[in-house]
Amino acid sequence: MTTKDDSRQSKAGTTCDTDVVSGECSPAEGAVGRGAFALLGRLMAPYRPLAVAALVTLLLDTIGTLYVPTELSALLNSAIGAQGMGPLWDHALRMLVAAVVGSGSCVASYFLAARLAADVGRDLRVSVYRKSLELSASDFERFGTGSMITRTMGDANVVQQTIVMCFVMILPVPVIAVTSVVLAWGIDPAMGQVLVAIAVAMTVVSLVAIRRSAPIFLHLQEFVDRMNVRLRETITGVRVIRAFGRERRERRHLDETFEAYAENAVRVNLIFSVADCTTFFLMNVVEVLFVWLGADRVGVHAMQIGSISALVQFAIILLFFMMMAQFAMLQVPRALACLTRATELLELEPSIKDSVREAPTPPAEELLANERESPVAEFDHVDFRFDDASEDTLHDLSFAVRRGEICAIIGNTGSGKSTIAKMLLRFHDVTGGELRVAGRDVRDRSLADLRSRMAYVPQRAWLFSGTIASNLRMAAPDATDDELWHALDTAQASFVRELPQGLEARVTQGGTNFSGGQRQRLAIARALARKADLYVFDDSFSALDYKTDAALRHALSSELGASARLIIAQRVSTIRDADQILVLKDGRQVGLGAHDQLVETCPTYQAIVESQQRGGDLRG
Ligand SMILES: Nc1ncnc2c1ncn2[C@@H]1O[C@H](COP(=O)(O)OP(=O)(O)OP(=O)(O)O)[C@@H](O)[C@H]1O
């Protein structure tokens, strides 16, 4: 039988199978899909004017940057040629204007590029987050929680940073390269050729560096996923780790994960430092060449002495921008890999969505009559199999949950009890047979309509950070304080009355500042705060003592008498008064009836009752 853990093994295409220790990834992983460019196009489309404004300011910045050395050389040549103060002031003024325009445009282009990137990053984050809310539990499990967090936060940050880098570091390079070579050529063709040769050498260095480090960069994001998963697991399970004295082992595992990331990051940085050193070396070479060759050219009156400074400046500016572009280029494949991962997620069709099937809608009166007469929920020969399982988890279930009745489910662990509850809320869809709610197949109802008819207490009573009131109002946003107190009293959560802040008492993430029993009662109160046709309690009474369990059942009976209740329980005492008990064994329905009837006819139920009698568990 498939286990929950089996299913959590990620099978999403991009989730890394990287060996954490060696850091090796198969080449297919992190590959950039065509969807990345399409997604980028879609994300940038609303901000075209901003992008154009950023490009224009960038162009002005580039012109200003190159115009200053041009004027400086002209100024030096005028000074050497003793042309008087007039031309000197003239050149100085032009330099000042170029510097002001260049610097102003530089600030503006950085601001506009950052604005554009922040907007695109925010839109990407929001889209991925919204999509993750649409996914069903099994869709979500395909990616894994760690990867989902990286996709929402980390990947969007990488894309955002890369957009800024592309604008300020990569896009100016072609303009600077062409303009500086043309200007240098204009001063002296021989010097122009030297600049071209140096630019080609620099391009070769950059290409080698990019080629070597791009694959490593591509996978760094997947290492981040790994670190996320490990960290989350260690932090959430810290008490278990401490209780079993496994700190050292866990630390070693964490260290291995971090080291794998660090090792790859160091490899990339090493390549960078070699490339940077080569660039600085080339800068010095070009300076020496220009001064040396320039002196000869000045000697033969092929150019003026002041022009040497302009040539040196052009070369330094060009090489500096190429060096920055080389760094930025390395981010591009990584950002494209992030966009590919986002595309995969955004294009994923949720396995459960509204109106999967087109069912003809009967007239309103017929619908109403049908709803009144039909059971609240009805399983009709239902089978269910998890996506990644090789056999069915539930086989041929047929039973109904009716208004005013209690339907209970009991069975061995892993027999599929919680899965039945989740199917009612359409967290999973039947794979055989039909599940009807108020007379209609659940797949023909909207999810909002379906879920608004139910109130659910999950097996693991999960609370959100906030206050008790904010948690209860998740189920009933408009509930008054009195209604919340009423729900709390029915749920036997009298401890809240003793809290100094009452309804406003703080709840930490997951509700960890409350005991297991208190959390269960708060989760029950949350469900009771909502008016529903069907209340589903998934093993919600297990952390309660017998007295509270009995008191709660009594309160529920008088409170929810008109609604249907589905109670999943381990203890026979909790469900013996149910109108109908479904007995499950390994996903099969082996008994259905009232307690007295099952005690006579169902061997599985008899065995459960006997074992609980022996353990003295049949009180209440
Ligand atoms: N997401 C999943 N993917 C694959 N298999 C799953 C998944 N969730 C549960 N299962 C498997 O389905 C079976 C039924 O699980 P379920 O949680 O419904 O059992 P249960 O009767 O509620 O168990 P318990 O009493 O221990 O809570 C188990 O074998 C479980 O391993």
Side-chain angles (χ1 to χ4, degrees), residues 145 232 236 456-468 470-472 474 507-512 514-516 518-524 526-527 538 540:
T145 315
R232 274 173 55 85
T236 347
Y456 171 57
V457 186
Q459 188 170 27
R460 193 166 153 233
W462 179 263
L463 300 176
F464 293 83
S465 51
T467 62
I468 290 181
S470 69
N471 269 279
L472 266 52
M474 284 200 77
V507 178
T508 55
Q509 190 193 9
T512 45
F514 291 99
S515 74
Q518 289 174 329
R519 273 203 298 276
Q520 266 197 340
R521 288 176 224 199
L522 290 175
I524 293 171
R526 179 172 58 196
D538 185 355
S540 313

Side-chain angles (χ1 to χ4, degrees), residues 262-451:
E263 229 172 68
N264 281 276
V266 168
R267 273 162 63 194
V268 167
N269 279 316
L270 203 66
I271 298 170
F272 263 112
S273 26
V274 173
D276 285 357
C277 289
T278 316
T279 308
F280 283 117
F281 176 71
L282 285 174
M283 276 183 186
N284 289 319
V285 168
V286 77
E287 205 170 334
V288 170
L289 274 177
F290 277 147
V291 174
W292 186 25
L293 297 176
D296 274 356
R297 303 295 291 162
V298 172
V300 295
H301 302 291
M303 60 183 241
Q304 291 179 288
I305 195 163
S307 303
I308 293 178
S309 80
L311 289 170
V312 169
Q313 289 287 316
F314 291 152
I316 288 177
I317 291 171
L318 175 58
L319 291 187
F320 178 72
F321 268 89
M322 285 184 86
M323 187 172 76
M324 291 209 304
Q326 158 198 303
F327 172 72
M329 289 288 285
L330 286 171
Q331 284 282 346
V332 173
R334 191 177 176 195
L336 289 174
C338 291
L339 283 166
T340 307
R341 283 155 50 103
T343 311
E344 268 176 11
L345 186 71
L346 294 174
E347 286 179 356
L348 185 79
E349 272 299 306
S351 56
I352 292 180
K353 52 183 185 177
D354 280 344
S355 300
V356 173
R357 301 183 332 165
E358 293 289 320
T361 313
E365 316 81 62
E366 201 181 306
L367 263 181
L368 266 176
N370 192 24
E371 288 216 356
R372 269 196 303 271
E373 284 156 23
S374 309
V376 176
E378 192 172 7
F379 286 73
D380 187 357
H381 297 286
V382 164
D383 300 318
F384 174 70
R385 178 180 298 198
F386 283 102
D387 278 350
D388 51 353
S390 54
E391 55 186 82
D392 285 355
T393 292
L394 296 172
H395 310 259
D396 198 20
L397 299 187
S398 288
F399 68 98
V401 190
R402 293 188 182 78
R403 246 168 263 278
E405 287 188 3
I406 298 175
C407 176
I409 305 179
I410 197 163
N412 60 319
T413 180
S415 56
K417 303 182 293 293
S418 299
T419 309
I420 293 179
K422 288 176 188 161
M423 289 174 83
L424 281 166
L425 288 126
R426 264 197 96 197
F427 294 152
H428 303 301
D429 264 343
V430 300
T431 46
E434 201 172 72
L435 168 56
R436 291 185 289 275
V437 163
R440 281 184 83 186
D441 191 304
V442 285
R443 289 164 294 183
D444 298 332
R445 289 191 178 278
S446 76
L447 289 172
D449 167 48
L450 177 75
R451 291 172 186 168

Side-chain angles (χ1 to χ4, degrees), residues 181-293:
V181 166
V182 168
L183 289 173
W185 209 287
I187 292 170
D188 183 52
M191 297 296 164
Q193 285 163 18
V194 172
L195 195 57
V196 170
I198 292 289
V200 170
M202 181 64 195
T203 308
V204 172
V205 171
S206 300
L207 288 180
V208 172
I210 291 169
R211 211 183 139 80
R212 299 199 67 141
S213 48
I216 309 172
F217 250 104
L218 217 53
H219 292 305
L220 278 182
Q221 210 59 16
E222 285 150 2
F223 282 105
V224 176
D225 273 6
R226 288 250 146 178
M227 292 198 293
N228 247 331
V229 171
R230 275 249 188 262
L231 267 178
R232 274 173 55 85
E233 225 168 45
T234 314
I235 292 170
T236 347
V238 68
R239 288 192 190 88
V240 181
I241 294 169
R242 283 190 190 145
F244 289 101
R246 308 299 280 173
E247 291 97 327
R248 199 177 291 174
R249 185 173 162 274
E250 284 308 314
R251 205 172 302 136
R252 205 178 58 239
H253 278 160
L254 266 182
D255 286 351
E256 281 168 359
T257 316
F258 287 138
E259 263 166 31
Y261 178 81
E263 229 172 68
N264 281 276
V266 168
R267 273 162 63 194
V268 167
N269 279 316
L270 203 66
I271 298 170
F272 263 112
S273 26
V274 173
D276 285 357
C277 289
T278 316
T279 308
F280 283 117
F281 176 71
L282 285 174
M283 276 183 186
N284 289 319
V285 168
V286 77
E287 205 170 334
V288 170
L289 274 177
F290 277 147
V291 174
W292 186 25
L293 297 176

